[in-house]
Amino acid sequence: MGHRRVAAHLGLAEGTVRGWLRAFAGRAEDVRRHFTVALVALADDPLMPDAAASPFADAVRAVAAAHRAASARWPRMLTVSRWEFAGRAIGGRVLTSPSTAI
């Protein structure tokens, strides 16, 4: 889904969503690395996500895998979406400057 469709779906300005996607793309490798480490820490026998077509997609897959592992570990406690989980897991720094360490 492109930024225009996401913006329409969320009722936000296209520029806002485009900025979010660019910021995430700039942090994709840091996000992927962070959530891969989280996946290993959370799962007894972690299933690593397959490589995707881009660093952006790799980061999304790592977030999803870590979220699944956390949900399996704490099924009654973890009731947030994967993006709420991601934001909380790294203190809201998913979209911050690449110079800010995760």
Side-chain angles (χ1 to χ4, degrees), residues 10-101:
L10 297 175
L12 297 170
E14 291 177 10
T16 298
V17 174
R18 186 175 45 247
W20 288 350
L21 295 174
R22 285 181 181 162
F24 186 85
R27 298 293 309 235
E29 179 54 27
D30 292 334
V31 171
R32 184 205 58 78
R33 189 178 319 113
H34 182 84
F35 284 97
T36 299
V37 169
L39 169 60
V40 170
L42 289 166
D44 292 331
D45 187 16
L47 178 60
M48 294 298 166
D50 292 333
S54 70
F56 191 105
D58 285 337
V60 171
R61 286 183 179 189
V63 169
H67 181 258
R68 279 191 304 274
S71 295
R73 188 170 197 153
W74 301 294
R76 291 184 183 190
M77 293 177 63
L78 187 68
T79 59
V80 298
S81 75
R82 79 175 55 142
W83 295 109
E84 289 174 294
F85 165 78
R88 292 176 187 184
I90 59 177
R93 295 176 295 192
V94 173
L95 301 177
T96 59
S97 159
S99 62
T100 305

